[in-house]
Amino acid sequence: MRKIIIFILFIISVFVINAAFYFISDDYRFFLKKIKNGDEIVYEVNKPVNDNFSIENPDSTTVVESNTIDSLSFFPLAEKKEESKVILWKNYQNILSLFSKYDLKKIELNSNLFDLTNEYPDDYFEYYSKDLTLYFFPTKKYNEVYDIFHVLKFELPIELNKVNNFWEGSFYINLEKDIQDRFIRLVIVENGVVFGLKIKKDIYNEVKTTLDTMKK
């Protein structure tokens, strides 16, 4: 008789504990529902669904709304690239003013540097006209720009000619003899400003005179 009473008390204790966990623990209540509905997928939604688009997370008992995705750690966020703005200081503006007669227009989206390559590694400034294009390389030193084209010449049909006939230093980017166009290309440095020119051959002597007048 004593064993029966102990057994009944055990059953009652289990029932009371089970009931307490059922009302206290969401995870335990969810577990019991999974046992009861073994062939179904059960999700417990703890907040009302509105008209916003939502994403159900099958590993959770809640619904994740789309406007909260950015704050959840399990959704990888794309890093926001900080934009660095380069200001052209006085020496750049002086060089730009040398070629004002060509009515140069700033190109916002660069495509092919010198109409030769899109593999230049840094941002640069481009000012275009039909006869002359001016490039500024504010992130590189003169020798670094030369080294870049020295590498590119193994991929491009070009030859470099470092003659230093303009200002502090200069080199030409010449197309190979069997591939010619109507332009002359060169890179010049002066007072720390590295810039490039793509000049229509018809006006080269005119541009050369402008550069020679500024030579120290």
Side-chain angles (χ1 to χ4, degrees), residues 64-73 75-78 80:
V64 180
E65 292 185 3
S66 60
N67 57 9
T68 64
I69 288 177
D70 288 346
S71 64
L72 299 178
S73 60
F75 281 91
L77 301 180
K80 293 183 179 179

Side-chain angles (χ1 to χ4, degrees), residues 47-177:
K47 57 184 176 180
V49 179
N50 54 29
D51 292 334
N52 293 333
F53 175 75
S54 62
I55 302 174
E56 290 186 2
N57 179 11
D59 294 326
S60 174
T61 62
T62 61
V63 173
V64 180
E65 292 185 3
S66 60
N67 57 9
T68 64
I69 288 177
D70 288 346
S71 64
L72 299 178
S73 60
F74 51 83
F75 281 91
L77 301 180
E79 292 184 3
K80 293 183 179 179
K81 183 180 179 181
E82 294 184 3
E83 296 182 358
S84 57
K85 188 175 182 180
V86 178
I87 306 295
L88 294 181
W89 43 291
K90 183 180 178 181
N91 286 357
Y92 287 90
Q93 298 295 339
N94 290 343
I95 293 171
L96 187 58
S97 66
L98 283 179
F99 306 102
S100 58
K101 64 180 291 185
Y102 299 105
D103 192 26
L104 298 172
K105 305 296 183 184
K106 188 174 186 300
I107 302 297
E108 298 297 336
L109 184 62
N110 305 126
S111 54
N112 285 292
L113 179 57
F114 289 112
D115 282 335
L116 294 175
T117 181
N118 58 7
E119 294 185 9
Y120 186 80
D122 289 359
D123 292 333
Y124 58 89
F125 291 87
E126 180 177 356
Y127 297 84
Y128 169 82
S129 75
K130 64 182 180 66
D131 293 326
L132 181 144
T133 303
L134 170 65
Y135 306 94
F136 286 128
F137 308 108
T139 63
K140 296 293 185 187
K141 296 180 180 179
Y142 173 74
N143 288 334
E144 292 174 327
V145 175
Y146 180 86
D147 289 342
I148 288 170
F149 280 96
H150 182 71
V151 172
L152 288 175
K153 77 176 186 177
F154 295 102
E155 301 177 7
L156 301 174
I158 61 173
E159 297 174 352
L160 305 184
N161 187 11
K162 200 171 185 178
V163 293
N164 294 321
N165 58 340
F166 294 115
W167 299 7
E168 292 180 4
S170 61
F171 68 89
Y172 288 84
I173 304 171
N174 298 325
L175 295 178
E176 292 180 354
K177 292 182 180 180

Side-chain angles (χ1 to χ4, degrees), residues 16-29:
V16 171
I17 293 172
N18 182 70
F21 273 104
Y22 183 86
F23 290 106
I24 294 174
S25 174
D26 292 338
D27 292 337
Y28 187 73
R29 184 166 55 249

